[in-house]
Amino acid sequence: MWKSLFTAVSKAPVLQTTDILNQQLRTTFILRRKTPPLLHKQGRKPKTLRSRHYIYELVKDTDVEKQADIDVILTSYVEGLGNAGDKVSVRPTFAYNKLLLPGLAVYASPENVEKYSNLTNDSEKIRYSSKNAFYTVQTLSQMLLSVVMNKENPWTLKPWHIRVCFRKCGYIVPEDAITLPEKQISGPNMELEDKEFFVTVTINNQEKVNVRCRIHHWSTNITERIPHVHNFWEILSEPVIPEQAPILESMPKKRNVIKKRQASI
Amino acid sequence: MVIKCSVSNVCLESHNLAFEWYWVLVIGACPTFINILNYNMSLFATRCVRPFFFHHYTLETSSFVQIRGYAARKGTRERKRKAKVKSVVEKVGFIPHNQRDKEKFLANRKQRKVDDSWKGDPTDDVYVAKYFKWKVYPFGEAVQCHRETHHPDMYNQPNANLHVSIELDMQGEKKTRFLDNFTRIVATPHRFDHGEERAVIAFCKDPDLQQSAVEAGAQLSGGVELIKQIQNGQVSLQDFNFVVAHPEILPELVALRGLMKRKFPNPKAGTLDVDLATLVKKFMYGINYTAVKDEYEKDFGIIETVIGTLNMDAKHLEENYVALIKDVYTMKPRRTGEFFRRCLLWSPPSQEKLKVDHESYLDIPKKQEVEEDDDKDSKEDRIAL
């Protein structure tokens, strides 16, 4: 009776031993003998190893080895990575901490690939034309573009002027992506000096962003030049076109200006 | 009676031993202790104690901790005081603040070598340039960009100079050896006003050649008579930046070697040639450039020169540029790897620098993949078996 009882209890799931740690452990060390043992003679017993043959040098510790990138499928738009449904390859730690844990992505297993295949056509999710488009929109909306025009020669503002000004500031913007205000701006007109307007930049024919611009007159003759103003972007100015005033007011200011205002408050 | 005692209590013992005759055998005492013993005995027992000194000190080593309640010998102190090294504080003169911690300053110094290969290629049509690899402009487009900035609507300087910066890898044949600064002149296919004052003197025997040299732009040309005039002092060589000569006049010209010094015509410097007119033109209108090595970053060199003006034809500017970079490439040391880091076009007053291509203009042999030596591998296998 006792025996049968014992077997019954021992077979119960509570008492059964299971492997608690199911995770894979990387405990492989690749070693090399410091003194390789000599070859043994054919047909003879191998020579006994000496203690010097048991001294090893570490070739590789697989625990500290750099792991390969892993593939994940994004479930929503991630700045600098991609849109929902995109399969991206990222560093494992970044994937675990920044994407998988917050639920921004899932592992790219065959089941998940199939499950999230229709995500790319989901119209509810926010979509950007590219992974960097969001950053570009952010940057452009906060900048102040200095439009340097001549003080002597007559000019009328055209998209290529804006493109050149963008390029000088380190932004590559093609001419067809720039939309000027409908009202023509022409000069030289010292009333327009240091006054603001905005142009609309279209990124990849999709995202539209308004960029704050400020006119500055520049003379070839040094004596004619307008004196330098330190941190001119921190000084608030008026719109060139009165109709643009409400939009200019609602647009985000350059970061420094915001900081300065907060400090003063 | 033999008293075997340690020296620390010798003095005590000697008190008790007064007025009696004893032989004191001192074993294993050093001369200092013997001195003390002598002293004590002279005080208390000069007559009664006759110390017998057994001078073999190593016979027995006494195991005791010495406690000495009196001063060490005067000589010892003096000796030790003398042995003390006097630390002399050197007076350092005033160092300007910007020159202090030079090493620290150099470590924090921004590297002049720019490597953007780790950055990605832009994917969008609108992008922030600093987050991506530098855009490499075709030469014509770069010139067009500078023309736009210098347009009458903007900077209004349509005939500004077009500068080029060529960044070089100055590493020599060995890793620790670096090229020296070098200055050269390259003939330009299309002439422009470089704004420098240059004077050339030409030597040749043939009067026709002399005439052609003057027509090409030489300030002075002549033959044997001119050499004599220079020797007389009628003509000064100081007034001329460059000296060119025809090889036939070289034997007579040797007389001026001392006066000319480094200016003496030689084929290596390109100042000795049969075609004197082209030679004069090269030195009069060519592009003069100097490669300057960075003072601290020895493997970084830079050439900054003018290749023309913006109102010139873009094709002509390109040809000047190609002539320049081909000439610079002749200075490449015999080593693998690239000589040019990058080439930038710029034109003041605009601060913009546009990267232009150089590789397509130079016929650099492409890297050939070294074929694996199969025979060697199989041989190694056999050894392993």
Side-chain angles (χ1 to χ4, degrees), chain A residues 99-170:
Chain A
L99 302 176
L100 297 165
L101 270 178
L104 295 171
V106 290
Y107 283 107
S109 60
E111 299 82 30
N112 279 345
V113 170
E114 201 180 325
K115 189 179 170 188
Y116 293 97
S117 59
N118 59 347
L119 212 64
T120 42
N121 308 322
D122 196 348
S123 58
E124 283 179 18
K125 299 268 183 186
I126 306 161
R127 306 200 66 79
Y128 284 92
S129 59
S130 80
K131 61 178 186 179
N132 292 315
F134 178 77
Y135 279 144
T136 317
V137 168
Q138 287 268 307
T139 318
L140 290 182
S141 65
Q142 285 182 352
M143 72 176 289
L144 174 65
L145 183 69
S146 214
V147 181
V148 180
M149 300 306 287
N150 202 272
K151 205 181 158 196
E152 284 88 31
N153 293 347
W155 46 263
T156 306
L157 207 65
K158 288 192 185 110
W160 74 262
H161 291 129
I162 303 292
R163 175 178 54 109
V164 169
C165 291
F166 264 123
R167 200 186 57 224
K168 266 160 58 181
C169 296

Coordinates of all heavy atoms in Angstrom, one line a residue, chain A residues 99-170:
Chain A
L99 N 11.5 48.8 -28.2 CA 10.4 48.4 -29.2 C 9.5 47.3 -28.7 O 8.3 47.5 -28.7 CB 11.1 48.0 -30.5 CG 12.0 49.0 -31.2 CD1 12.6 48.4 -32.4 CD2 11.2 50.3 -31.6
L100 N 10.1 46.2 -28.2 CA 9.3 45.1 -27.9 C 8.6 45.3 -26.5 O 7.4 45.1 -26.4 CB 10.1 43.8 -27.8 CG 10.7 43.4 -29.1 CD1 11.8 42.4 -28.9 CD2 9.7 42.9 -30.1
L101 N 9.3 45.8 -25.5 CA 8.6 46.1 -24.2 C 7.5 47.2 -24.3 O 6.4 46.9 -23.8 CB 9.7 46.5 -23.2 CG 10.3 45.3 -22.4 CD1 11.4 45.9 -21.5 CD2 9.3 44.6 -21.7
P102 N 7.8 48.3 -24.9 CA 6.7 49.3 -25.0 C 5.6 48.9 -26.0 O 4.6 49.5 -26.1 CB 7.3 50.5 -25.5 CG 8.8 50.3 -25.4 CD 9.0 48.9 -25.5
G103 N 5.8 47.8 -26.7 CA 4.7 47.3 -27.6 C 4.7 48.0 -29.0 O 3.7 48.0 -29.7
L104 N 5.9 48.6 -29.3 CA 5.9 49.3 -30.6 C 6.2 48.3 -31.7 O 6.1 48.6 -32.9 CB 7.0 50.4 -30.6 CG 6.7 51.5 -29.6 CD1 7.9 52.4 -29.5 CD2 5.5 52.3 -30.1
A105 N 6.7 47.1 -31.3 CA 7.1 46.1 -32.4 C 6.9 44.7 -31.8 O 6.7 44.5 -30.6 CB 8.5 46.3 -32.8
V106 N 6.9 43.8 -32.8 CA 6.8 42.3 -32.4 C 8.0 41.6 -33.1 O 8.5 42.1 -34.1 CB 5.5 41.7 -32.8 CG1 4.4 42.2 -31.9 CG2 5.2 41.9 -34.3
Y107 N 8.3 40.4 -32.6 CA 9.3 39.6 -33.3 C 8.9 39.3 -34.7 O 7.7 39.0 -34.9 CB 9.6 38.3 -32.5 CG 10.4 38.5 -31.3 CD1 9.8 38.4 -30.0 CD2 11.8 38.8 -31.4 CE1 10.6 38.6 -28.9 CE2 12.6 38.9 -30.2 CZ 12.0 38.8 -29.0 OH 12.7 39.0 -27.9
A108 N 9.9 39.2 -35.6 CA 9.5 38.9 -37.0 C 9.5 37.4 -37.2 O 10.3 36.8 -38.0 CB 10.5 39.6 -37.9
S109 N 8.7 36.7 -36.4 CA 8.5 35.2 -36.6 C 7.6 35.0 -37.8 O 6.8 35.9 -38.2 CB 7.9 34.6 -35.3 OG 6.7 35.2 -35.1
P110 N 7.7 33.8 -38.4 CA 6.8 33.6 -39.6 C 5.4 33.9 -39.3 O 4.7 34.4 -40.2 CB 7.1 32.1 -39.9 CG 8.4 31.8 -39.3 CD 8.6 32.7 -38.2
E111 N 4.9 33.5 -38.1 CA 3.5 33.7 -37.8 C 3.2 35.2 -37.7 O 2.1 35.7 -38.2 CB 3.1 33.1 -36.4 CG 3.3 31.6 -36.3 CD 4.8 31.2 -36.0 OE1 5.5 32.0 -35.4 OE2 5.2 30.1 -36.5
N112 N 4.1 36.0 -37.1 CA 3.9 37.4 -37.0 C 3.9 38.1 -38.3 O 3.2 39.1 -38.6 CB 4.9 38.0 -36.0 CG 4.5 37.8 -34.6 OD1 3.4 37.5 -34.3 ND2 5.5 38.0 -33.7
V113 N 4.9 37.6 -39.2 CA 5.0 38.2 -40.5 C 3.6 38.1 -41.2 O 3.1 39.1 -41.8 CB 6.1 37.5 -41.3 CG1 6.0 38.0 -42.8 CG2 7.4 37.8 -40.7
E114 N 3.0 36.9 -41.1 CA 1.7 36.7 -41.7 C 0.6 37.6 -41.1 O -0.2 38.2 -41.7 CB 1.3 35.3 -41.6 CG 0.3 34.8 -42.7 CD 0.0 33.3 -42.5 OE1 0.9 32.6 -42.2 OE2 -1.2 33.0 -42.7
K115 N 0.7 37.6 -39.7 CA -0.4 38.3 -38.9 C -0.4 39.8 -39.2 O -1.4 40.4 -39.3 CB -0.1 38.0 -37.4 CG -1.2 38.5 -36.5 CD -0.8 38.2 -35.1 CE -1.8 38.8 -34.1 NZ -1.3 38.6 -32.7
Y116 N 0.8 40.4 -39.3 CA 0.9 41.8 -39.5 C 1.1 42.3 -40.9 O 1.5 43.4 -41.2 CB 2.1 42.4 -38.6 CG 1.8 42.2 -37.1 CD1 2.3 41.2 -36.4 CD2 1.0 43.1 -36.5 CE1 2.0 41.0 -35.1 CE2 0.7 43.0 -35.1 CZ 1.2 41.9 -34.4 OH 0.9 41.8 -33.1
S117 N 0.9 41.3 -41.9 CA 1.1 41.7 -43.3 C 0.1 42.8 -43.8 O 0.5 43.6 -44.6 CB 1.0 40.4 -44.1 OG -0.3 39.9 -44.0
N118 N -1.1 42.8 -43.2 CA -2.0 43.8 -43.6 C -1.9 45.2 -42.9 O -2.6 46.1 -43.2 CB -3.5 43.3 -43.4 CG -3.7 43.0 -42.0 OD1 -2.8 42.9 -41.1 ND2 -5.0 42.8 -41.6
L119 N -0.9 45.3 -42.0 CA -0.7 46.5 -41.3 C -0.2 47.6 -42.2 O -0.5 48.8 -41.9 CB 0.4 46.2 -40.2 CG 0.2 47.0 -38.9 CD1 -1.1 46.7 -38.2 CD2 1.4 46.8 -38.0
T120 N 0.5 47.3 -43.2 CA 1.0 48.3 -44.1 C -0.1 49.1 -44.8 O 0.1 50.2 -45.3 CB 2.0 47.7 -45.2 OG1 1.4 46.5 -45.6 CG2 3.3 47.5 -44.6
N121 N -1.3 48.4 -45.0 CA -2.4 49.0 -45.7 C -3.4 49.6 -44.7 O -4.5 50.1 -45.1 CB -3.1 48.0 -46.6 CG -2.1 47.3 -47.5 OD1 -1.2 47.9 -48.0 ND2 -2.3 46.0 -47.7
D122 N -3.1 49.6 -43.4 CA -4.0 50.1 -42.4 C -4.1 51.6 -42.5 O -3.1 52.3 -42.4 CB -3.5 49.7 -41.0 CG -4.6 49.8 -40.0 OD1 -5.6 50.5 -40.3 OD2 -4.5 49.3 -38.9
S123 N -5.2 52.1 -42.8 CA -5.4 53.6 -43.0 C -5.5 54.3 -41.7 O -5.2 55.5 -41.6 CB -6.6 53.8 -43.9 OG -7.7 53.3 -43.2
E124 N -5.8 53.7 -40.6 CA -6.0 54.3 -39.3 C -4.7 54.8 -38.7 O -4.6 55.8 -38.0 CB -6.7 53.4 -38.3 CG -8.2 53.3 -38.6 CD -8.9 52.4 -37.6 OE1 -8.3 52.1 -36.5 OE2 -10.0 51.9 -37.9
K125 N -3.6 54.1 -39.0 CA -2.3 54.4 -38.4 C -1.7 55.6 -39.1 O -1.9 55.9 -40.3 CB -1.3 53.2 -38.6 CG -1.8 51.9 -37.9 CD -1.3 51.8 -36.5 CE -1.7 50.5 -35.9 NZ -1.3 50.4 -34.5
I126 N -0.9 56.4 -38.3 CA -0.2 57.5 -38.8 C 0.9 57.0 -39.7 O 1.7 56.2 -39.3 CB 0.3 58.4 -37.7 CG1 -0.7 58.8 -36.7 CG2 1.0 59.7 -38.3 CD1 -0.2 59.3 -35.4
R127 N 0.9 57.6 -40.9 CA 2.0 57.1 -41.8 C 2.8 58.3 -42.3 O 2.3 59.4 -42.5 CB 1.3 56.5 -43.1 CG 0.4 55.3 -42.7 CD 0.2 54.5 -43.9 NE 1.4 53.8 -44.3 CZ 1.8 52.7 -43.6 NH1 1.1 52.2 -42.6 NH2 2.9 52.1 -43.9
Y128 N 4.1 58.1 -42.4 CA 5.0 59.1 -42.9 C 5.6 58.5 -44.2 O 5.7 57.3 -44.4 CB 6.1 59.5 -41.9 CG 5.5 60.4 -40.8 CD1 5.1 59.8 -39.6 CD2 5.5 61.7 -41.0 CE1 4.6 60.6 -38.6 CE2 5.0 62.6 -40.0 CZ 4.5 62.0 -38.8 OH 4.1 62.8 -37.8
S129 N 6.1 59.4 -45.0 CA 6.6 59.0 -46.3 C 7.9 58.2 -46.1 O 8.3 57.4 -47.0 CB 6.8 60.2 -47.2 OG 7.7 61.1 -46.6
S130 N 8.7 58.5 -45.1 CA 9.9 57.8 -44.8 C 10.2 57.8 -43.4 O 9.5 58.5 -42.6 CB 11.1 58.4 -45.6 OG 11.5 59.5 -44.9
K131 N 11.2 57.1 -43.0 CA 11.5 56.9 -41.5 C 12.0 58.3 -41.0 O 11.9 58.5 -39.8 CB 12.5 55.8 -41.3 CG 13.9 56.0 -42.0 CD 14.8 54.9 -41.7 CE 16.2 55.1 -42.2 NZ 17.1 54.0 -41.9
N132 N 12.7 59.1 -41.8 CA 13.2 60.3 -41.3 C 12.3 61.5 -41.5 O 12.6 62.6 -41.1 CB 14.6 60.6 -42.0 CG 15.6 59.6 -41.5 OD1 15.7 59.3 -40.4 ND2 16.3 59.1 -42.5
A133 N 11.2 61.3 -42.2 CA 10.3 62.5 -42.5 C 9.8 63.2 -41.3 O 9.8 64.4 -41.3 CB 9.1 62.0 -43.3
F134 N 9.5 62.5 -40.2 CA 9.0 63.1 -39.0 C 10.1 64.0 -38.4 O 9.8 65.1 -38.0 CB 8.7 62.0 -38.0 CG 8.2 62.6 -36.7 CD1 6.9 63.1 -36.5 CD2 9.0 62.6 -35.6 CE1 6.5 63.6 -35.3 CE2 8.6 63.1 -34.4 CZ 7.3 63.6 -34.3
Y135 N 11.4 63.5 -38.4 CA 12.4 64.3 -37.8 C 12.6 65.6 -38.7 O 12.8 66.7 -38.1 CB 13.8 63.5 -37.9 CG 14.0 62.6 -36.7 CD1 14.6 61.4 -36.9 CD2 13.5 62.9 -35.5 CE1 14.8 60.5 -35.9 CE2 13.7 62.1 -34.4 CZ 14.3 60.8 -34.6 OH 14.5 60.0 -33.6
T136 N 12.6 65.4 -40.0 CA 12.8 66.6 -40.9 C 11.7 67.6 -40.6 O 11.9 68.8 -40.6 CB 12.8 66.1 -42.3 OG1 13.5 64.9 -42.4 CG2 13.4 67.2 -43.2
V137 N 10.4 67.1 -40.5 CA 9.3 68.1 -40.2 C 9.6 68.8 -38.9 O 9.4 70.0 -38.8 CB 8.0 67.3 -40.1 CG1 6.9 68.2 -39.6 CG2 7.6 66.8 -41.5
Q138 N 10.0 68.1 -37.9 CA 10.3 68.7 -36.6 C 11.3 69.8 -36.7 O 11.2 70.9 -36.2 CB 10.8 67.6 -35.6 CG 9.7 66.7 -35.1 CD 9.1 67.1 -33.8 OE1 9.8 67.4 -32.9 NE2 7.8 67.3 -33.8
T139 N 12.4 69.4 -37.4 CA 13.5 70.4 -37.5 C 13.2 71.6 -38.3 O 13.5 72.7 -37.9 CB 14.7 69.7 -38.2 OG1 14.8 68.3 -37.7 CG2 16.0 70.4 -38.0
L140 N 12.5 71.4 -39.4 CA 12.2 72.5 -40.3 C 11.2 73.4 -39.6 O 11.2 74.7 -39.7 CB 11.6 72.0 -41.6 CG 12.6 71.3 -42.5 CD1 11.9 71.0 -43.8 CD2 13.8 72.2 -42.8
S141 N 10.2 72.9 -38.8 CA 9.2 73.7 -38.2 C 9.8 74.6 -37.1 O 9.2 75.6 -36.8 CB 8.1 72.8 -37.6 OG 8.6 72.1 -36.6
Q142 N 10.9 74.2 -36.6 CA 11.5 75.0 -35.5 C 12.6 75.9 -35.9 O 13.2 76.6 -35.1 CB 12.1 74.0 -34.4 CG 11.0 73.4 -33.6 CD 11.6 72.5 -32.5 OE1 12.8 72.2 -32.5 NE2 10.7 72.0 -31.7
M143 N 13.0 75.9 -37.2 CA 14.1 76.7 -37.6 C 13.7 78.1 -38.1 O 12.5 78.4 -38.3 CB 14.9 76.0 -38.7 CG 14.2 76.0 -40.1 SD 15.1 75.3 -41.4 CE 16.4 76.5 -41.6
L144 N 14.7 79.0 -38.2 CA 14.5 80.3 -38.7 C 15.5 80.5 -39.9 O 16.7 80.4 -39.7 CB 14.8 81.4 -37.7 CG 14.7 82.8 -38.2 CD1 13.3 83.1 -38.7 CD2 15.1 83.8 -37.1
L145 N 15.0 80.5 -41.1 CA 15.8 80.6 -42.2 C 16.1 82.1 -42.6 O 15.2 82.9 -42.7 CB 15.1 80.0 -43.4 CG 15.9 79.9 -44.7 CD1 17.1 78.9 -44.6 CD2 15.0 79.5 -45.9
S146 N 17.4 82.4 -42.7 CA 17.8 83.7 -43.0 C 17.9 83.8 -44.5 O 18.7 83.1 -45.2 CB 19.2 83.9 -42.4 OG 19.3 85.2 -42.0
V147 N 17.1 84.7 -45.1 CA 17.1 84.9 -46.5 C 17.9 86.1 -46.8 O 17.4 87.2 -46.6 CB 15.6 85.0 -47.1 CG1 15.6 85.2 -48.6 CG2 14.8 83.8 -46.7
V148 N 19.1 85.9 -47.3 CA 20.0 87.0 -47.5 C 19.9 87.5 -49.0 O 20.2 86.7 -49.9 CB 21.5 86.6 -47.2 CG1 22.4 87.7 -47.5 CG2 21.6 86.1 -45.8
M149 N 19.4 88.7 -49.1 CA 19.2 89.3 -50.5 C 20.0 90.5 -50.6 O 20.5 91.1 -49.6 CB 17.7 89.6 -50.7 CG 16.8 88.4 -50.6 SD 17.3 87.0 -51.6 CE 16.8 87.6 -53.2
N150 N 20.2 91.0 -51.8 CA 21.1 92.1 -52.1 C 20.5 93.4 -51.7 O 19.2 93.6 -51.8 CB 21.5 92.1 -53.6 CG 22.8 92.9 -53.8 OD1 22.7 94.1 -54.0 ND2 23.9 92.2 -53.6
K151 N 21.3 94.3 -51.3 CA 20.8 95.6 -50.8 C 20.7 96.7 -51.9 O 20.1 97.7 -51.8 CB 21.7 96.1 -49.7 CG 21.1 97.1 -48.7 CD 22.1 97.5 -47.7 CE 21.7 98.8 -47.0 NZ 22.8 99.4 -46.3
E152 N 21.5 96.4 -53.0 CA 21.5 97.4 -54.1 C 20.7 97.0 -55.3 O 20.0 97.8 -55.9 CB 23.0 97.6 -54.6 CG 23.8 98.5 -53.6 CD 24.5 97.7 -52.5 OE1 24.8 96.5 -52.8 OE2 24.6 98.2 -51.4
N153 N 20.8 95.7 -55.7 CA 20.1 95.3 -56.9 C 18.7 94.9 -56.7 O 18.4 94.3 -55.7 CB 20.9 94.1 -57.5 CG 22.2 94.4 -58.0 OD1 22.5 95.6 -58.1 ND2 23.0 93.4 -58.3
P154 N 17.8 95.3 -57.6 CA 16.4 94.9 -57.4 C 16.2 93.4 -57.6 O 16.8 92.8 -58.4 CB 15.7 95.7 -58.5 CG 16.7 95.9 -59.6 CD 18.0 96.1 -58.8
W155 N 15.3 92.8 -56.8 CA 15.1 91.4 -56.8 C 13.6 91.1 -56.5 O 13.0 91.9 -55.8 CB 16.0 90.6 -55.9 CG 16.1 91.2 -54.5 CD1 17.1 92.0 -54.1 CD2 15.2 91.0 -53.4 NE1 16.9 92.3 -52.8 CE2 15.8 91.8 -52.3 CE3 14.0 90.4 -53.2 CZ2 15.2 91.8 -51.1 CZ3 13.4 90.4 -52.0 CH2 14.0 91.2 -50.9
T156 N 13.1 90.0 -56.9 CA 11.8 89.5 -56.5 C 12.0 88.1 -56.0 O 12.7 87.3 -56.7 CB 10.8 89.5 -57.7 OG1 10.8 90.8 -58.3 CG2 9.5 89.1 -57.3
L157 N 11.5 87.8 -54.9 CA 11.8 86.5 -54.3 C 11.3 85.3 -55.1 O 10.1 85.3 -55.5 CB 11.2 86.4 -52.8 CG 11.9 85.5 -51.9 CD1 13.4 86.0 -51.6 CD2 11.2 85.4 -50.6
K158 N 12.1 84.4 -55.4 CA 11.8 83.2 -56.2 C 12.2 81.9 -55.4 O 13.0 82.0 -54.5 CB 12.5 83.2 -57.5 CG 11.9 84.3 -58.4 CD 12.5 84.2 -59.8 CE 12.0 85.3 -60.7 NZ 13.1 86.2 -61.0
P159 N 11.6 80.8 -55.8 CA 11.9 79.5 -55.0 C 13.4 79.2 -55.0 O 13.9 78.7 -54.0 CB 11.2 78.5 -55.8 CG 10.0 79.2 -56.4 CD 10.5 80.5 -56.7
W160 N 14.1 79.6 -56.1 CA 15.6 79.2 -56.1 C 16.4 80.0 -55.0 O 17.3 79.5 -54.5 CB 16.2 79.3 -57.5 CG 16.5 80.6 -58.0 CD1 15.7 81.3 -58.9 CD2 17.6 81.5 -57.8 NE1 16.2 82.5 -59.2 CE2 17.4 82.6 -58.6 CE3 18.7 81.4 -57.0 CZ2 18.3 83.7 -58.6 CZ3 19.7 82.4 -57.1 CH2 19.5 83.5 -57.8
H161 N 15.9 81.2 -54.7 CA 16.5 82.0 -53.7 C 16.4 81.2 -52.3 O 17.4 81.1 -51.6 CB 15.9 83.4 -53.5 CG 16.1 84.3 -54.7 ND1 15.1 84.9 -55.3 CD2 17.3 84.6 -55.3 CE1 15.6 85.7 -56.3 NE2 16.9 85.5 -56.3
I162 N 15.2 80.7 -52.1 CA 15.0 80.0 -50.8 C 15.8 78.7 -50.8 O 16.4 78.3 -49.8 CB 13.5 79.7 -50.7 CG1 12.7 81.0 -50.7 CG2 13.2 78.9 -49.4 CD1 12.8 81.9 -49.6
R163 N 15.9 78.0 -52.0 CA 16.6 76.8 -52.1 C 18.1 77.1 -51.7 O 18.7 76.3 -51.0 CB 16.5 76.2 -53.5 CG 17.4 75.0 -53.7 CD 17.2 74.5 -55.1 NE 17.4 75.6 -56.1 CZ 18.5 75.6 -56.9 NH1 19.3 74.7 -56.9 NH2 18.6 76.6 -57.7
V164 N 18.7 78.2 -52.3 CA 20.1 78.5 -52.0 C 20.3 78.8 -50.5 O 21.3 78.4 -49.9 CB 20.5 79.7 -52.9 CG1 21.8 80.2 -52.5 CG2 20.5 79.3 -54.4
C165 N 19.3 79.6 -50.0 CA 19.4 79.9 -48.5 C 19.4 78.6 -47.7 O 20.1 78.5 -46.7 CB 18.3 80.9 -48.1 SG 18.6 82.5 -48.8
F166 N 18.5 77.7 -48.0 CA 18.4 76.4 -47.3 C 19.8 75.7 -47.4 O 20.3 75.2 -46.4 CB 17.3 75.6 -47.9 CG 16.0 75.7 -47.2 CD1 14.9 76.0 -47.9 CD2 15.9 75.3 -45.9 CE1 13.6 76.1 -47.2 CE2 14.7 75.4 -45.2 CZ 13.6 75.8 -45.9
R167 N 20.3 75.7 -48.6 CA 21.6 74.9 -48.8 C 22.7 75.5 -48.0 O 23.5 74.8 -47.5 CB 21.9 74.9 -50.3 CG 22.9 73.8 -50.7 CD 23.3 73.9 -52.1 NE 23.9 75.2 -52.4 CZ 23.7 75.9 -53.5 NH1 22.8 75.5 -54.4 NH2 24.3 77.1 -53.6
K168 N 22.7 76.9 -48.0 CA 23.8 77.5 -47.2 C 23.7 77.2 -45.7 O 24.7 77.1 -45.0 CB 23.7 79.0 -47.4 CG 24.5 79.6 -48.5 CD 24.1 80.9 -49.0 CE 24.1 82.0 -48.0 NZ 23.6 83.3 -48.6
C169 N 22.5 77.0 -45.3 CA 22.2 76.6 -43.8 C 22.4 75.1 -43.6 O 22.2 74.7 -42.5 CB 20.9 77.1 -43.4 SG 20.7 78.8 -43.5
G170 N 22.6 74.3 -44.7 CA 22.8 72.9 -44.4 C 21.5 72.1 -44.6 O 21.4 71.0 -43.9

